[in-house]
Amino acid sequence: MRNVVLACIALALTASAAAADLELLASMNGASVISATDSKATGQARALLQDGGQVSIDLAFTGLASGATGVELLLGKATENGVAVTALNVGEGQTGATGNGLSVALTPEQERAMRDGMTYLVVRTIDYPAGAIRGQLVPQAPALLGLPIVPEDTTDSNAKEPSTDR
């Protein structure tokens, strides 16, 4: 049975490795901005990166003290400011907005950076031109096709149970 489970897991890993799509998630807040802001705004984003560098982004933010002046996708570590990839056409002038299916074509270098978790989103305002809120796009582990994880049986079937008789 153990070999069957291991074979199924190996098959699932091979299938997910062959699938080039990658899901990334970001939670946006003022504390993630470099240097942190006291913005009470929050946001969420989901990106789906396809092989070849096409990415589709869904995002929503709310609670900005003033209207957004822009939303951008950037390259960079979570601990530093990075380089702009592109502006996203969502929420300009609004304190909250939702954008779905925002499409971006990445270069091969930008695609590698995104796959490595080196991209982030920032929402800018007049009060916070460097960003009111920010969220790192974190790659998500591929699903194992719903397979349960079964721990290896380490018990010795020939071992005797300890006696409780005294």
Side-chain angles (χ1 to χ4, degrees):
M1 176 66 178
R2 179 175 174 258
N3 289 339
V4 171
V5 171
L6 292 176
C8 289
I9 290 172
L11 177 63
L13 290 173
T14 302
S16 61
D21 290 356
L22 177 66
E23 181 181 26
L24 301 101
L25 299 176
S27 180
M28 297 183 287
N29 57 57
S32 298
V33 177
I34 309 298
S35 298
T37 70
D38 60 357
S39 175
K40 303 298 184 236
T42 59
Q44 298 289 320
R46 176 185 179 269
L48 184 61
L49 175 61
Q50 298 174 337
D51 193 28
Q54 193 65 34
V55 63
S56 176
I57 301 171
D58 298 333
L59 70 90
F61 61 89
T62 187
L64 293 173
S66 59
T69 57
V71 178
E72 290 180 323
L73 173 66
L74 297 99
L75 300 177
K77 296 178 184 178
T79 57
E80 64 187 27
N81 288 319
V83 178
V85 172
T86 190
L88 301 174
N89 187 19
V90 60
E92 193 163 330
Q94 299 176 28
T95 59
T98 300
N100 292 312
L102 305 167
S103 184
V104 177
L106 303 176
T107 67
E109 295 79 21
Q110 293 167 339
E111 179 183 0
R112 267 192 305 280
M114 183 170 271
R115 287 187 183 280
D116 290 341
M118 302 289 283
T119 55
Y120 64 94
L121 295 164
V122 67
V123 179
R124 302 180 192 281
T125 66
I126 290 176
D127 297 333
Y128 298 107
I133 59 173
R134 169 183 167 150
Q136 197 75 19
L137 286 162
V138 179
Q140 302 300 297
L144 292 177
L145 304 175
L147 293 175
I149 303 300
V150 180
E152 183 178 340
D153 184 6
T154 57
T155 61
D156 183 355
S157 61
N158 294 324
K160 291 186 177 182
E161 290 288 322
S163 174
T164 56
D165 296 332
R166 294 203 178 230

